Amino acid sequence: MYWSGSVGDDTGALYLGEAARTNEHYTGGTVVGPARLGELGFYDIDVLKLEISSQSRVWGDTSFQCSAGSSDKACIVDTGTPSIVVPKEIADFINELAESGQPLGSLSFTLAGAAGAAAVKLEFDLRTLLANRLISAGAGNGIILGLPLWAWYYTVFDIKAGAVEFIPVDPPMAATTTPALFGDGGWDFGGWRRLGASPPSPAGGTLLV
């Protein structure tokens, strides 16, 4: 599946069968993956690590215990979700970094590889996600790689192999607006707001650098 990141006619395409690997979006880039793909009513993935970078510092969380059968811990890819959804503690932490005025780096997810393959790392520009309001806080501890995933990566789902491949889109989505602070100091994460100014305490997080 391909999406340009724009809204309108001819901004995306769905390829079936062999066409998924013979089109310009697949052959013109470098394949990342395959990552493990499950199919329990939706496409589930295993998130091994989440990393947030800002300036020369990197914060990582490896405490995820993705469970496809749990509404609270499900980690999935889903075109029907208009944002990348992360646990509230992580959204709070991103909010704190944004409010501090530090140059924002990337938000990345490391996924389990398929059938013994190496782990797969997907990376997104954090400023672009915020500027386009494409990141939100979920009610549970799961991860949803929603529609913005396709603005960065062309994807090929292989149901028989239980795998998904990612090919970086060139160019990826760019920031089109400057995110604005609310009067109470909260950022807008696609319909979710953080109130108050208490520093976040991400559960399971570790400062890596």
Side-chain angles (χ1 to χ4, degrees):
M1 178 177 173
Y2 166 75
W3 180 47
S4 67
S6 300
V7 177
D9 296 335
D10 300 321
T11 57
L14 176 64
Y15 299 94
L16 302 177
E18 291 300 318
R21 291 191 174 95
T22 57
N23 64 77
E24 60 180 337
H25 308 298
Y26 187 91
T27 60
T30 301
V31 178
V32 180
R36 189 204 71 81
L37 181 71
E39 193 182 8
L40 187 64
F42 43 73
Y43 293 136
D44 59 277
I45 52 176
D46 290 328
V47 178
L48 304 178
K49 180 191 294 185
L50 179 152
E51 291 182 337
I52 300 166
S53 69
S54 177
Q55 292 184 323
S56 61
R57 309 183 83 184
V58 179
W59 176 86
D61 191 341
T62 58
S63 64
F64 296 101
Q65 296 180 348
C66 298
S67 175
S70 169
S71 60
D72 183 61
K73 296 181 179 180
C75 298
I76 66 174
V77 290
D78 178 32
T79 57
T81 300
S83 63
I84 290 179
V85 181
V86 298
K88 184 179 182 299
E89 292 83 0
I90 292 172
D92 282 346
F93 186 73
I94 293 172
N95 184 79
E96 184 71 12
L97 290 178
E99 287 182 344
S100 72
Q102 297 184 58
L104 297 174
S106 65
L107 171 66
S108 65
F109 302 88
T110 299
L111 312 181
V120 177
K121 186 174 183 178
L122 304 178
E123 196 165 6
F124 304 86
D125 181 73
L126 194 50
R127 180 179 179 276
T128 300
L129 288 174
L130 290 173
N132 292 285
R133 301 187 176 188
L134 295 176
I135 186 168
S136 59
N141 295 313
I143 297 287
I144 301 177
L145 298 183
L147 189 58
L149 167 67
W150 284 269
W152 270 265
Y153 295 93
Y154 170 73
T155 59
V156 176
F157 294 94
D158 189 330
I159 305 305
K160 290 183 178 179
V164 55
E165 295 175 315
F166 305 90
I167 296 84
V169 172
D170 185 23
M173 176 180 281
T176 56
T177 59
T178 301
L181 285 169
F182 286 103
D184 58 15
W187 283 79
D188 179 5
F189 287 97
W192 168 81
R193 296 176 67 187
R194 183 184 76 82
L195 302 178
S198 300
S201 300
T206 303
L207 183 63
L208 303 179
V209 178

